[in-house]
Amino acid sequence: MSTYSSAPTGKSATMVAPKAAPAKGSEPKAASKMHRRSRSGCFTCRLRRKKCDEGKNQCKACKHLGLKCEYKRPMWWSNNEQRKHQKETIKNIIKRTKLSEKTTQIGTSCAETPPGLSHSLPTSATYSEATARTRAPSIESQHSPGYDFNPPLSHDYYDFHPHIVSPPYDTNAHYQPFPPTPYEVDIKTERQMYVNDIPTRHDSMISTFSTYQQPPSAHPTLPSFPEDEWINEDIYNTGDMFSGTEEGLDFDFFDFSHGAPQASQQALIQIDDCDRPLLDHFIDNVLRLIFPILEVNQHGSARSEVILPALESNKCYLHCCLSISAIHLKSTRGLQGEQIDGDIVRHRYATIAELCEALKLDTNHLQILEATLGMIFFQCSVGRPDDALPDISWHQHFQAAISLVRKLELPHAMVHDNNARVHPPFNMTLTSWIDILGATMLGRSPEFADTYREKNQSGSSSGLCELMGCEDSMMYLISEVACLDALKSSNGINDMQLCQLIGSLGTSLDTTEVPAELLMWPYSSTGAIRPKQLSRNMTSVFRLAARIYLCSLVPNKTKDDPAMQALVDRFTGSLHLIPHGPDGFDRSIVWPLLIAGSESTADSTFRQVLASRIASLGEHAEFGSFGRMVRLLQEVWRQSDEAIRTGSGQNVHWRDVMQQKGWDFLLI
């Protein structure tokens, strides 16, 4: 049995309090008595370094602050990075709870004040305790002598979470004395995993977001508040009125192939004992790398609605993920030898064998498509550029995926539903992303270019923005540029026609520009990510990369052209709005970095900025598509700088370098 990871061991240290001065006449007894710190308090209090009363089910501190009280060792406790993140989350929850209590106190004298909601919805017990507890009026109370009945109202007050819609209380006299309290929603997802019918792990995840939308019907244990007593319709019909506001998340956006999302699911995965370490490594370390933007837009859906259901029901997909896990293990931990290589090849071969068998039977087309896309896309998150194990090229796999997409009539379904509010098929959205950017890798037109053109004309969504971060309209235009690139490469157009089409596409890109003041840092003041702002920033980066790509098609265009370098400089300036580092999104903009970097010169600031972002990523910059992109750019720069130094003046194209080196990269 092969094992790639071992659980760390450690010993608990006992904290001894300093000895107090002995009382008179009791020195022998006091000298022998020592105080030991309790180790049975809840993990939340231990993380906060606060005294825990060890109350049954929930301690008083956690109950009062609206925190999750955990006596069972949580998953985040053993990881320093996760522990630090949990501490910040707890701080934000405490801040919101305190502010909510303060707002509730201000509005106690008004019969129409909405109830203050803490981070977690209170049970009947906590509600009665909150009612019974009395507090002295603060200086901000309406009953205090120094209370200002005309306080300045600030919308920054509502920046608890990126998705709060700030209400128009400035124009509503009913809300002048006090600002309303946002309604916070906790969505809890629980999943029990079984390996060979044996429960191996239990995951529990809570996602919290704030909204002013009407709460659900009253819980039987909570008091009921008539709707017309505290709901103002003006609040709920507003859009993004103020800078930084976000609309609520759509947790049911995609049509997942495994059915509608469920609150609680169990994953029953059948697997050999020798492959358990690979499965655990995939879930713990690889899964979070695959769909970072989807995780931001629909927290937890990549795990609960895409990966785990497929691992349970699709054997081919399971072998694909185990192979990817082995590749990640080999590259990140430096494992060498026949054992790890054998695991990679064994599961890769099993994946292909299962695919061939399913294709021969001509059944389970959706499962085959799912596994094929996994083989293509998951590879973009793992491995080093110099991996030399035998494999089938990504575009050969993609040809099989295209055949399956046509068999399932997914493009026709997307076009047919242009005018209806439907959920795009997740597998078709992922196919579209690979198709559009993969076409630029090969110098070909996207396979479904006509579909994207029709979608662009109708202004309908394919889900590309929610899945990968760049707005759909921009991806449709990149598809058009790829078509023009293929047309030029095949000499199917003369220079005059080429320049006319370049000008036309440039005008189309102009229409998608947004005002500069709408581009801002995507994190709120509390440290929460704002998905819509992140998407707006990423679209700006892709737009500039599309312009550079389009300008590179101009006949006789050189890299040192001032207009081209001005575009590269603009692109470099736009990168400061994309978070960097291990928890950033550099790995989601690999294609734009490749396009802009390939046109940069030796004295361009782009190279210095990219070097700093590589340094902030650390060892993560060496893996997946990002590592391959860096390796390709280094070779392109070496050859380009050499050509300039020798005076040959020859443009070096990144696709030519890939062909010279025999690299078959999918850099998306």
Side-chain angles (χ1 to χ4, degrees), residues 571-633:
F571 178 91
T572 306
S574 69
L575 291 178
H576 78 280
L577 294 176
I578 305 296
H580 57 86
D583 297 323
F585 298 92
D586 281 334
R587 286 167 289 186
S588 299
I589 55 170
V590 169
W591 185 83
L593 290 172
L594 169 66
I595 298 300
S598 63
E599 297 295 334
S600 66
T601 57
D603 57 349
S604 172
T605 56
F606 173 87
R607 300 193 184 184
Q608 288 75 39
V609 170
L610 180 61
S612 68
R613 297 181 83 92
I614 292 172
S616 67
L617 262 177
E619 64 174 5
H620 300 281
E622 302 173 11
F623 312 130
S625 290
F626 192 91
R628 298 180 185 104
M629 177 271 298
V630 171
R631 180 73 172 272
L632 176 56
L633 281 182

Side-chain angles (χ1 to χ4, degrees), residues 85-143:
H85 177 73
Q86 180 71 11
K87 198 168 185 178
E88 289 301 316
T89 303
I90 289 173
K91 286 182 181 178
N92 290 333
I93 293 172
I94 294 174
K95 189 186 300 181
R96 297 173 195 166
T97 304
K98 294 291 187 184
L99 203 50
S100 179
E101 289 179 355
K102 188 175 181 181
T103 307
T104 306
Q105 180 188 356
I106 293 173
T108 50
S109 62
C110 181
E112 296 183 353
T113 304
L117 297 176
S118 65
H119 180 73
S120 300
L121 290 176
T123 63
S124 56
T126 57
Y127 210 96
S128 61
E129 287 177 9
T131 308
R133 189 167 54 245
T134 58
R135 296 176 61 185
S138 68
I139 133 176
E140 295 182 15
S141 169
Q142 296 182 15
H143 304 289

Side-chain angles (χ1 to χ4, degrees), residues 492-503:
I493 191 172
N494 59 44
D495 287 353
M496 182 175 293
Q497 292 172 323
L498 177 63
C499 290
Q500 288 175 346
L501 290 174
I502 289 173

